[in-house]
Amino acid sequence: LGLSVSENNFFGSGKRVSFGINTTNSVKAANFSYLDPYFTVDGVSRGFSVFARKTDFDEDDLSDYIIDESGASVTFGYPINQISRLQFTFGYTHTKLTAGDEVALEILRFSELYGEKFNTYFFSPSWSRSTLNRGQFPTKGWGQNLSLEIATPLSDLSYYKLSYRSNSYFPLDDNHEYVFRIRNEWRWGDGYGDTDRLPFYEHYFAGGLGSVRGYRGSSLGPKSTPTDGDDPSAFGGNVLIETGVELIY
């Protein structure tokens, strides 16, 4: 059950406001965001967002643990030109891990080494460029995004995540009824300083609609080591490489 509202011209002010809540067997979440796209006359944008999310992975038969997160962030955007933009985000996230009796060995070792409560202060610069002919269901052009997220040394865990995503669309006829699409998603993360790995709750997964069709969502990747003799479940990893080609008609 969920409800979300998004308004790009809130009460005629030109500001973008959105909020949403949803609940499933495994996820309870709420979020709110605000963006002023013309914070300055030069087109610099400023926004902020807050969220709270609780995920019970046991409900999806993935693993026996719960991740409870809440946080807030502030974002500034700067237009380089009509098709390129820089964005800088500063944020804070509080994460609480609750491990059950049948949790994977990798998670038990992680909690023994680093604890079960983490405060993360992060900085995330990103660059985006788009020549897509429209925002929804494009049929021509190239959109790409490069971003870096760094958990600062003030955080309980220090790590970084680098990601690149691109989508290219090539119409095969004048009416754009048939379109050839190439998509790429490359992600890499790791720990630094006193943290020797990417936290497991930041791992990458593949599978599902929009990823690798024919597989359950988040089912592809390295497997965990169960403590109860059951079959291993998807544990994710610190590297994700996806490339796909599609014919859209």
Side-chain angles (χ1 to χ4, degrees), residues 121-213:
Y121 303 89
F122 66 88
F123 169 60
S124 178
S126 66
W127 167 82
S128 61
R129 183 179 187 274
S130 176
T131 61
L132 300 177
N133 59 342
R134 54 177 178 253
Q136 295 292 329
F137 304 110
T139 58
K140 184 179 180 180
W142 183 17
Q144 51 186 328
N145 178 271
L146 176 66
S147 66
L148 173 66
E149 180 180 328
I150 304 174
T152 69
L154 296 175
S155 306
D156 294 328
L157 300 174
S158 51
Y159 60 90
Y160 62 89
K161 300 172 69 176
L162 179 66
S163 65
Y164 173 77
R165 177 181 296 177
S166 71
N167 282 282
S168 303
Y169 298 85
F170 306 92
L172 303 180
D173 61 293
D174 294 338
N175 296 323
H176 294 197
E177 293 182 355
Y178 294 88
V179 179
F180 184 67
R181 178 194 181 198
I182 302 175
R183 66 172 185 85
N184 294 286
E185 185 169 358
W186 307 331
R187 297 176 181 267
W188 176 39
D190 205 349
Y192 72 91
D194 294 333
T195 306
D196 64 355
R197 71 197 73 179
L198 182 69
F200 73 90
Y201 53 83
E202 298 285 351
H203 278 180
Y204 305 123
F205 296 84
L209 184 65
S211 176
V212 183
R213 292 178 174 85

Side-chain angles (χ1 to χ4, degrees), residues 39-59:
F39 178 61
T40 71
V41 295
D42 297 324
V44 175
S45 63
R46 183 189 66 176
F48 67 86
S49 64
V50 295
F51 80 95
R53 179 175 58 248
K54 184 177 182 180
T55 306
D56 187 345
F57 291 88
D58 189 37
E59 291 290 344

Side-chain angles (χ1 to χ4, degrees), residues 4 23 27 39 50 53 72 82 94 111 115 119 121 124 132 215 236:
S4 63
T23 177
V27 179
F39 178 61
V50 295
R53 179 175 58 248
Q82 291 184 340
H94 174 74
S111 63
N119 294 304
Y121 303 89
S124 178
L132 300 177
Y215 293 87

